[in-house]
Amino acid sequence: MLAKLRQRDYQILIAFIIVAAILAFWRPHVLISGLQRGSLYVLIALPVGIIYGILGILNLAHGEFMMLGAFFAFSLVTLTGIDPLIAMLPAFPAMFVVGIVTYRLTIKHVVRAPLNQFLLTFGLAVMLAEMANLIWTTRPRIVWVPYAASSATIGPITFGTFEFVYVAAAAIVLVGMFLFLTRTRAGLAAMAVGQNPRGAKLVGIDVERTYMMIFSACLAVLGPIGALFLIRHAIFPEVGGPFSLRAVSIVAMAGFGNLPGILVWGIGLGLAEAFVRSFRGWGGWADIIFFGMIILVVFYRSYQRRVR
């Protein structure tokens, strides 16, 4: 679950560092944009990795729950006039409650049924998007705050600085998850459940309650993430779908439960997309980069198994 970087992750990390060094001299704006975008992907993908590592469920509705958190923050901002950063605070418990309700009504019934998990979470994704459509309509919603447009200039390069909050947030969430899972009783219990549910139950751990709390906590994290996302992006009912695909893809490429690997692959995906977008007329191809990366990873792992 909390494995250190695997050998292939070290190799990929070294490759990304070399690419980043080249980009720093050749296309520095690509490096900055890729780091910022990749950190957002990491931020969204980390809870997916935790849910799969402990519950064994690949949540295909993850981006839609982030969208729900963003709309919750948007509603608070428009109704009360508070800053979106302050809206992060109530968004956390609100999404935690959503997680508990979702788990009790749906997820608990498919924990040990892999095929049903895919069907259920896909259905949740569609339902959440349609629900948002009914409540907020399809019109994109934007919240403007002055600091969202902050920028800096280094030499001939001007770039936005607010997006670096994604880098800091990804680091905080990664470290926070690591400390929770290794330094708290609840986290250690969750680790035990993820490794051996039957054994954990025999030593007195409430497996069902652990599943519910981990799932709800991972959804709760999406509340503040949605509020951060709202500051720099327009939100609409279908905005979460692409992030669900990217998050699941990153977790699959990293290896399920490999949190450091999620960091490596998330940043790598962000750099790859930013590089493709830097060429005029090629921006649309960036949206399918993750499919190509998955195919390459599958071929590479198949080759490794054959040569062993």
Side-chain angles (χ1 to χ4, degrees):
M1 178 65 207
L2 285 177
K4 296 179 180 178
L5 281 174
R6 302 165 186 173
Q7 183 177 1
R8 70 168 182 271
D9 293 328
Y10 276 116
Q11 296 169 349
I12 294 165
L13 178 59
I14 292 171
F16 285 159
I17 291 174
I18 294 172
V19 170
I22 295 172
L23 289 175
F25 290 97
W26 180 33
R27 291 173 178 261
H29 61 284
V30 171
L31 176 61
I32 295 170
S33 175
L35 177 62
Q36 294 171 338
R37 189 75 173 182
S39 296
L40 176 61
Y41 294 158
V42 171
L43 194 57
I44 297 172
L46 283 171
V48 176
I50 293 290
I51 290 174
Y52 187 88
I54 294 176
L55 279 76
I57 291 178
L58 201 56
N59 184 12
L60 300 181
H62 197 72
E64 280 72 19
F65 281 110
M66 192 234 6
M67 172 271 297
L68 192 63
F71 268 116
F72 177 82
F74 171 81
S75 299
L76 284 179
V77 171
T78 53
L79 289 174
T80 66
I82 63 174
D83 190 278
L85 293 177
I86 298 177
M88 293 170 61
L89 299 178
F92 184 90
M95 289 303 296
F96 187 82
V97 173
V98 170
I100 291 177
V101 173
T102 302
Y103 180 84
R104 288 189 175 276
L105 294 180
T106 60
I107 300 298
K108 67 177 294 185
H109 304 291
V110 297
V111 170
R112 295 172 182 83
L115 178 59
N116 291 339
Q117 293 170 10
F118 279 97
L119 295 174
L120 174 64
T121 56
F122 176 75
L124 283 173
V126 174
M127 184 194 73
L128 289 173
E130 289 301 317
M131 182 182 71
N133 185 25
L134 291 173
I135 298 174
W136 292 286
T137 75
T138 59
R139 181 166 62 90
R141 307 302 177 98
I142 300 173
V143 169
W144 186 86
V145 287
Y147 54 80
S150 60
S151 62
T153 301
I154 300 178
I157 306 167
T158 299
F159 54 91
T161 56
F162 176 79
E163 288 89 342
F164 281 110
V165 73
Y166 300 144
V167 181
I172 291 171
V173 171
L174 179 61
V175 173
M177 286 181 171
F178 179 83
L179 293 177
F180 169 75
L181 292 171
T182 59
R183 302 293 178 86
T184 67
R185 291 186 62 185
L188 292 172
M191 291 276 286
V193 169
Q195 293 169 1
N196 188 345
R198 183 175 298 177
K201 189 173 183 178
L202 289 175
V203 297
I205 298 175
D206 189 334
V207 174
E208 186 69 25
R209 184 174 183 273
T210 300
Y211 282 157
M212 182 183 70
M213 297 305 292
I214 291 298
F215 182 83
S216 302
C218 287
L219 258 59
V221 172
L222 294 176
I225 293 173
L228 284 178
F229 183 83
L230 171 67
I231 294 173
R232 282 291 295 156
H233 300 83
I235 59 171
F236 48 93
E238 288 77 26
V239 73
F243 289 96
S244 291
L245 291 176
R246 284 171 171 82
V248 170
S249 300
I250 290 168
V251 172
M253 290 186 291
F256 297 111
N258 182 10
L259 299 188
I262 290 174
L263 176 64
V264 172
W265 281 101
I267 298 297
L269 177 59
L271 289 174
E273 290 187 356
F275 180 74
V276 172
R277 285 194 175 98
S278 69
F279 293 95
R280 183 175 299 177
W282 286 74
W285 290 94
D287 292 331
I288 62 172
I289 287 292
F290 64 96
F291 283 121
M293 292 178 70
I294 287 179
I295 292 171
L296 290 176
V297 169
V298 170
F299 283 153
Y300 175 71
R301 290 178 182 171
S302 298
Y303 170 77
Q304 280 190 321
R305 282 194 291 267
R306 285 199 303 268
V307 299
R308 286 176 182 173

